[in-house]
Amino acid sequence: MKICVISHAFPYPGIPQFTFVAEICKAMAAQGEEITVIAPQSVFKPVFRHEPVIPFKQVLKIDGGKDIVVYTPKIITLGTLPFLGTRVNKFFTQWAVTKTIMKYVTDVDVFYGHFFFEGFHALPEAIRRNKPIIVASGETNVTFRKEYTKLLKEYLNRLKGIIFVSTKNKDEAIKYGLTDGSNSIILPNSVDASIFKPLDRKACREKLGFSQDDFIVSFTGYFTHRKGSRRVADAITMLNDETIKSIFIGRNNEGVEVEPNCKGILYKGFMDHDQIPTYLCASDIFVLPTRAEGCPNAIVEALACGLPVVSSDRKFNYDVLNDKNSIMVDPDDVEAISKAIKTLKEDPERRTAMSKAALEMAKSLTIKERARKIIAFIKQQTGIN
């Protein structure tokens, strides 16, 4: 099956973004599917964010499977500038995606949009070639901007299936009239079990130069108000315990107000995705008080490493977290976050039980199995053999 994936972004050395898209593409390619990815890059990112310029074409080698071809056309964007910004972003993204498909994607069975807007950008070529569209819905909030509504009915008629990462996302899509739910499946995000897996904590700490005696709290994600990086730091500060150390893996997207600043930070900054398991496995617990998600990849990765989780008591977590593998709190309540950290620090038996429950949940969240289910779902919904 020839699948053309449209994504908002794709990872590149030095830019660990949208790694979840790369992982599912690799997993499908490893199972014999022919994957082409189109992921536009703003011409302004290398200038203002000092990111590397991604080459227009990359070929990713897949052991035992088919190579993935990634096209990264350059586009002009104006960020979230009111009124003009969204229109400019849509126009240039649509133009770049359509042009790239027309020139370089000679044959395709299905267009696969990673999020609703990206699926929409495949619409002109899906219509011209009479091909179906499948969407993976993992948005923080499932909405549909007015700039897209003129062709919304035609888009939904072309949309043959939706893969939701959470019940929350499915309910939102039904609320906004994007589906009645009958053409969908819920598949929470997943991990590469060969990378994200339990590792010996003592060995990981020795490798990283961390003390064996400290209690280490880890966080991964962008440093933003939504993700709660500063709230984790403030919760640790509130405890005033010198034996509590922390790891903050990510990058700052919103300035000094979200910068983790508690004492005892062992590491702060972004890193290549395959380095993260060593840091997670050196930790005692994982904390992510995020306000909104589709299904947090970072939490699934933490579960796969056997970490007890402290996260948000909100619907986007309910497909992967429960009272056996996590403590769920109000993500805006720093005192509650602090109390959860203290509770787990003082109860090693509970941590052990939660670790076992985390690993049990992770058994069903492997990227290989998720890719198999996605491929089967696409074939079921489109009639492609």
Side-chain angles (χ1 to χ4, degrees):
M1 185 165 52
K2 297 178 180 179
I3 305 173
C4 180
V5 176
I6 316 298
S7 177
H8 178 71
F10 201 81
Y12 184 74
I15 316 178
Q17 60 183 0
F18 278 62
T19 52
F20 53 93
V21 177
E23 293 305 311
I24 195 63
C25 288
K26 291 176 183 177
M28 290 194 292
Q31 295 184 33
E33 309 306 326
E34 189 172 322
I35 309 295
T36 302
V37 180
I38 300 174
Q41 183 192 35
S42 171
V43 296
F44 298 122
K45 282 188 175 182
V47 177
F48 295 110
R49 294 190 184 180
H50 307 291
E51 294 181 354
V53 176
I54 303 174
F56 175 70
K57 181 180 180 180
Q58 306 169 64
V59 178
L60 306 182
K61 298 294 182 181
I62 305 298
D63 292 339
K66 295 188 177 181
D67 295 343
I68 298 173
V69 179
V70 182
Y71 294 104
T72 308
K74 302 302 180 286
I75 59 173
I76 295 172
T77 59
L78 295 180
T80 57
L81 193 68
F83 304 111
L84 184 60
T86 54
R87 287 172 171 79
V88 169
N89 298 347
K90 174 185 177 295
F91 174 82
F92 282 106
T93 302
Q94 183 69 77
W95 175 81
V97 169
T98 301
K99 181 181 178 182
T100 303
I101 294 172
M102 290 181 67
K103 188 171 182 179
Y104 298 100
V105 183
T106 57
D107 194 13
V108 61
D109 294 312
V110 60
F111 290 100
Y112 181 104
H114 221 291
F115 300 167
F116 274 102
F117 291 130
E118 282 60 44
F120 190 95
H121 293 139
L123 183 59
E125 282 301 291
I127 293 172
R128 188 174 75 86
R129 302 186 187 200
N130 193 28
K131 299 296 181 180
I133 298 174
I134 296 288
V135 162
S137 173
E139 298 94 328
T140 299
N141 296 295
V142 179
T143 59
F144 221 78
R145 292 195 296 264
K146 62 183 180 181
E147 291 84 1
Y148 294 80
T149 54
K150 289 182 178 179
L151 294 174
L152 182 57
K153 183 177 181 179
E154 195 161 10
Y155 176 42
L156 296 182
N157 286 337
R158 185 70 50 176
L159 185 56
K160 299 304 179 184
I162 309 169
I163 301 153
F164 292 106
V165 298
S166 65
T167 303
K168 187 272 302 186
N169 274 42
K170 180 177 179 178
D171 290 347
E172 287 180 353
I174 292 173
K175 175 183 176 181
Y176 286 104
L178 300 176
T179 179
D180 61 5
S182 62
N183 63 339
S184 67
I185 187 173
I186 298 174
L187 294 175
N189 286 327
S190 55
V191 296
D192 184 339
S194 68
I195 299 175
F196 286 89
K197 60 185 178 181
L199 302 173
D200 184 76
R201 186 176 66 174
K202 181 179 179 180
C204 289
R205 291 193 177 194
E206 287 178 351
K207 179 180 179 179
L208 298 172
F210 298 163
S211 169
Q212 300 294 338
D213 300 323
D214 288 329
F215 183 81
I216 300 178
V217 176
S218 62
F219 167 100
T220 64
Y222 286 113
F223 301 162
T224 62
H225 289 288
R226 176 171 68 86
K227 293 286 188 180
S229 49
R230 185 62 169 267
R231 294 192 294 279
V232 176
D234 289 346
I236 292 172
T237 298
M238 186 179 291
L239 291 171
N240 193 27
D241 185 340
E242 293 184 356
T243 66
I244 296 179
K245 308 298 182 183
S246 57
I247 296 168
F248 290 89
I249 300 172
R251 68 170 77 212
N252 193 323
N253 268 22
E254 294 181 1
V256 67
E257 290 185 356
V258 298
E259 189 74 23
N261 63 348
C262 54
K263 294 181 180 178
I265 296 178
L266 301 173
Y267 179 89
K268 181 169 65 173
F270 70 91
M271 64 179 65
D272 288 339
H273 197 234
D274 58 4
Q275 292 180 281
I276 294 176
T278 302
Y279 286 80
L280 290 179
C281 291
S283 305
D284 292 284
I285 65 172
F286 179 81
V287 183
L288 183 70
T290 177
R291 292 170 174 165
E293 298 284 342
C295 171
N297 286 277
I299 285 178
V300 179
E301 292 169 354
L303 292 174
C305 290
L307 286 186
V309 172
V310 176
S311 190
S312 315
D313 189 5
R314 293 195 175 174
K315 196 172 181 179
F316 54 76
N317 270 332
Y318 294 169
D319 292 289
V320 295
L321 294 184
N322 53 52
D323 59 4
K324 293 182 179 180
N325 59 26
S326 67
I327 296 179
M328 288 185 276
V329 299
D330 179 345
D332 289 315
D333 189 339
V334 174
E335 187 174 349
I337 299 167
S338 183
K339 182 180 178 181
I341 294 171
K342 185 175 187 291
T343 296
L344 292 179
K345 180 179 186 293
E346 294 177 349
D347 195 342
E349 290 185 3
R350 184 174 180 181
R351 294 202 309 271
T352 298
M354 289 175 68
S355 177
K356 291 179 180 178
L359 293 173
E360 187 63 30
M361 174 61 74
K363 287 180 181 179
S364 63
L365 301 174
T366 67
I367 196 74
K368 182 177 180 179
E369 180 62 13
R370 188 169 193 266
R372 185 192 67 77
K373 290 178 178 178
I374 288 175
I375 292 167
F377 177 73
I378 292 174
K379 291 180 177 180
Q380 170 191 305
Q381 294 301 116
T382 62
I384 299 171
N385 296 321

